[in-house]
Structure formats: structure tokens, C-alpha cells
Amino acid sequence: MSEQNYQPETLAVHGGTVRSQFGEHSEALFLTSSFVFENAAQAAARFIGEQPGNIYSRFTNPTVTMFEERLAAMEGAEQCVATASGMSAILACVMGLLKAGDHIVASQSIFGASVNLFNNVIGKFGVATTYVSATDVSEWQAAVRPNTRLLFLETPSNPLTEISDIAAVASVAKGCGALLAVDNCFCTPILQRPLDLGADIVIQSATKYIDGQGRVLGGAVLGSRKNMEGVYGFLRTAGPTMSAFNAWVLLKGLETLKLRMDAHSANALELARWLEAQPNVARVFYPGLPSHPQHKLALRQQKTGGGIVSFEVASSPGCGKAAAWRVIDNTRLLSITANLGDTKTTITHPATTTHARISPEARAAAGITDGLIRIAVGLEAVVDIQADLARGLNK
Ligand SMILES: *Cc1c(COP(=O)(O)O)cnc(C)c1O
């Protein structure tokens, strides 16, 4: 489907090629590792790229292609390259576009595994990373070096929902000839389209909202055909590609993404407002609340505040962890897990799980206090989520 002016919910259902020669109505699952050629000449033409067509599922697979075309239409990208997970999307982006001696500037408020990847994997191959404030654009400008090739951010951030100004960081990138990559996992293209704001590359962990039901891992890198050439080249050779089965599950996830993101967002806003009114809650972090420091920027950049709400349980000094654990351990409905973007609401204590390996000083500097709780709001009735949290809050 080539029409570019359809609304997102239409693209979510019809975007990309939807059927094979058999005319099936629901997208088909092609479980095959390789493809057969009509003759030797056709094989030769496919291998040297003279004739388009599938060769081997590490290179392309029709179900994966359907997922890629649909997500590309939704993000407004020329090309999408699907990967085995969100982390392999970030790896492929760096391996495909950078070389030894290049430099990355990244927000300090990115996913923990991304920091680990930059410092301990990519760092070994001579690509250094400098971390800067998610919200202070002047720090990005000051960190740029002559060899800076990639700027990398994630907005809203995890778990404090800090908002980075994508358009402002994009102009820093343009000014120094670097590329801006945005990890769009928390918003998905339904709530935010970074390429429209000047970013060059979008990263997705499809494991989260795109699947939305906690079933499979997946990821994607999106951008111009020119930038995706190296990314695809790396994947085709190194192999962390998306499986056909996962692509099929994720295609079905895309079809309901708009409905789910709207419902996650509405629930999150209602829960955030309720939390703000609770006497035993010291502070609520949610971009959709007027009390959020970047509320105006969030309204400009995203369609809604999204589905992630964090809050600090009120406690006496030194008792934050006990207070937060009391809330978590008194839930019956919510899932105590670090995953997010699921129909089921999840509850996490960042200081002792996702951010436990960071030193207490660095954690304090990042604002991740012992009393902080992160909620990835699911699709249950908000009153039931509130009752589950109230049990521990009121103890
Ligand atoms: C989960 C997550 C990732 C990594 O994705 P996987 O699919 O788990 O590899 C990257 N970025 C963000 C913001 C995430 O939440």
C-alpha cells in the first residue's frame, strides 16, 4: 500500500503488503528458512541482487517484510529493518552506521542495557560514549566532538518520564553532521513520530507496546533508505534478525496499537491524578500532569502522556525502601515484574531492580530514590488498580 496520507489507525491495519499470491485475508506466517529458485539463472540473479525476491530468512522473509512495511508506514520512515529484540536494534544501528574512532553522545536517562551496550560492548571496539542531561540541550552541544557521529536519546525516560526536546537535539545533530537516533519504545508511532521532528533514526523495542501482550521479543530500526543500508547489511551478515513467527505476532499487535495506546494513556492519566491526591504519595511523575516540569513540551511533542507513571511513597528519612516495598507487596492484581507495555499492569521498584547495579550516589543524582515506584499502567479498570495500590499506601 503506497498511500501515505492514511490515518495511523488505518495504516496499522492495512499498511504495507498484506497478502501473498494466494489472496489470504489475514497476514500469512511463512515458516521457512530458505526459498527455492526456478532455475540456476534465477538463483544467480537473486544472489547478485539483479532480481528482487527472497533467498534465505536471515536476509528477508515475507512475514517479516510485512511487519517492516507496516511499521515503516506508521513511523513515516522510508525503510524499517526488523530485529530479534530492541537491544539488537540498537546494536545494529551502531554497527551499521559507526566505525572505530567515532563518538556517541547519549542521554544519561536511557535504558540500562543500552548504557551497558555502549560502555562494555561497543566501547571495546573503539567507539566512546559521553552521557549528558536528557533535558538540557546546551549539554548536548557542549559534548559534541569533531568525531561525533551519533546522538542517542529516549523520551519519555525510564522511570522518571523526563522529556527530551527531539527537535532541539535534532538541530544540534544537524549542526555537527551527526545522526540523531530516538528510542521510541515508550510512545510508539501512535503517540510520537521522531522522524517528523527531525530525528534521523527511530529505534523500537517491539517487545513492549507493539506486542502489548507480553508474548514475544522484537525490535526495529527505521530511517532513510541510505541510513538503513548499513544497518540491514550488518543484520543480514551477523544474524540477529526477527523470526517469522514473532513478526506475525507483532503484525497483529500493530493492528490494535492505537486502541491500546489510547486506553493505556487514559488509564495512566486517571491513575496519576488519583496518586497526586493521595496523602501518602510524596510526588508523581507523569508527563500528562500539569505538575510535570516538561508538561508543555510533552503536550507539543506527544499525543498523550503515555502509559508509564512513577511516584514516590511518602516516608520518614531512610525508610523509603520499606515504604515502597510495602505498597508493592500488598498488591494482588498487579504483576511485580520489570516488563512494561503489557495489557496487565506491572509494578517495579527501580532502586532495587532495574537500577540496582548503579552506585547509590549515581542513583541519587539521577533522582531514583528508594521510595520510587514505577507503574506501567495496563488495561484493567482504574478503580481496581487504585484499590490494589491503596491497600499498601494506607497501611
Ligand atoms: C525494553 C527496552 C529496550 C530493549 O528491548 P528488548 O526488546 O528487551 O531487547 C530498549 N529500550 C527501551 C526504552 C526499553 O524499554
Side-chain angles (χ1 to χ4, degrees):
M1 197 179 71
S2 58
E3 289 86 351
Q4 288 301 304
N5 51 357
Y6 282 120
Q7 296 299 310
E9 52 269 58
T10 307
L11 293 173
V13 180
H14 293 282
T17 306
V18 293
R19 56 186 67 93
S20 76
Q21 68 201 84
F22 300 112
E24 67 282 358
H25 191 212
S26 177
E27 292 76 357
L29 170 52
F30 287 91
L31 285 179
T32 179
S33 50
S34 67
F35 299 83
V36 178
F37 310 109
E38 281 168 23
N39 49 45
Q42 187 185 51
R46 291 254 176 103
F47 267 84
I48 61 168
E50 229 168 44
Q51 188 196 85
N54 299 293
I55 298 172
Y56 187 57
S57 283
R58 172 153 43 79
F59 306 169
T60 57
N61 171 283
T63 310
V64 177
T65 303
M66 287 182 213
F67 170 77
E68 290 172 331
E69 288 182 3
R70 184 165 295 173
L71 187 58
M74 293 172 75
E75 287 279 9
E78 271 179 18
Q79 197 180 338
C80 168
V81 184
T83 58
S85 66
M87 290 318 302
S88 51
I90 300 174
L91 176 68
C93 172
V94 174
M95 296 302 273
L97 295 165
L98 273 61
K99 60 178 187 323
D102 286 344
H103 173 241
I104 300 173
V105 180
S107 159
Q108 65 199 9
S109 310
I110 54 173
F111 190 61
S114 307
V115 174
N116 202 357
L117 182 79
F118 288 153
N119 292 353
N120 302 325
V121 180
I122 291 159
K124 281 198 302 197
F125 298 96
V127 175
T129 303
T130 304
Y131 297 93
V132 295
S133 155
T135 54
D136 183 351
V137 182
S138 68
E139 283 196 23
W140 291 79
Q141 187 64 61
V144 165
R145 301 178 191 165
N147 58 339
T148 302
R149 219 11 222 134
L150 182 71
L151 273 50
F152 187 97
L153 64 83
E154 185 181 312
T155 179
S157 73
N158 178 24
L160 294 175
T161 71
E162 290 170 292
I163 308 290
S164 297
D165 188 334
I166 296 173
V169 180
S171 69
V172 174
K174 296 257 166 347
C176 68
L179 299 169
L180 171 62
V182 174
D183 183 333
N184 201 26
C185 169
F186 275 31
C187 279
T188 81
I190 297 298
L191 302 186
Q192 171 172 280
R193 297 215 317 177
L195 299 176
D196 294 347
L197 300 166
D200 302 286
I201 290 155
V202 168
I203 301 286
Q204 280 293 350
S205 167
T207 313
K208 312 293 169 55
Y209 288 105
I210 291 179
D211 176 23
Q213 292 159 66
R215 300 167 295 189
V216 298
L217 297 183
V221 192
L222 301 104
S224 67
R225 263 182 243 298
K226 178 171 163 279
N227 285 331
M228 290 309 103
E229 206 177 296
V231 175
Y232 171 67
F234 168 76
L235 278 169
R236 173 185 165 127
T237 305
T241 44
M242 180 177 282
S243 76
F245 179 77
N246 286 8
W248 180 78
V249 170
L250 293 166
L251 263 169
K252 296 290 136 191
L254 285 179
E255 292 181 358
T256 56
L257 187 59
K258 168 90 169 53
L259 290 174
R260 287 185 287 106
M261 291 314 288
D262 287 351
H264 283 295
S265 303
N267 274 3
L269 180 60
E270 195 179 336
L271 185 70
R273 284 184 178 141
W274 177 82
L275 283 166
E276 226 172 22
Q278 298 310 299
N280 291 328
V281 171
R283 191 165 167 201
V284 182
F285 302 85
Y286 183 65
L289 289 176
S291 60
H292 189 284
Q294 290 121 0
H295 178 59
K296 285 213 180 74
L297 170 60
L299 287 184
R300 204 164 69 229
Q301 190 165 276
Q302 310 175 191
K303 288 223 174 72
T304 70
I308 310 291
V309 179
S310 292
F311 65 98
E312 261 168 33
V313 184
S315 67
S316 20
C319 300
K321 182 180 129 180
W325 280 24
R326 187 159 56 241
V327 173
I328 292 169
D329 289 341
N330 276 287
T331 59
R332 294 173 197 157
L333 184 68
L334 307 198
S335 312
I336 306 171
T337 169
N339 197 25
L340 62 95
D342 200 288
T343 53
K344 300 181 178 80
T345 296
T346 66
I347 185 165
T348 314
H349 185 237
T352 53
T353 59
T354 52
H355 294 69
R357 287 160 186 246
I358 307 173
S359 72
E361 297 73 34
R363 223 171 21 240
I368 297 164
T369 59
D370 286 350
L372 187 75
I373 289 176
R374 187 197 74 192
I375 309 274
V377 185
L379 302 183
E380 305 92 337
V382 181
V383 286
D384 292 330
I385 302 171
Q386 289 165 351
D388 217 38
L389 293 170
R391 208 175 298 115
L393 277 173
N394 297 335
K395 263 219 162 119

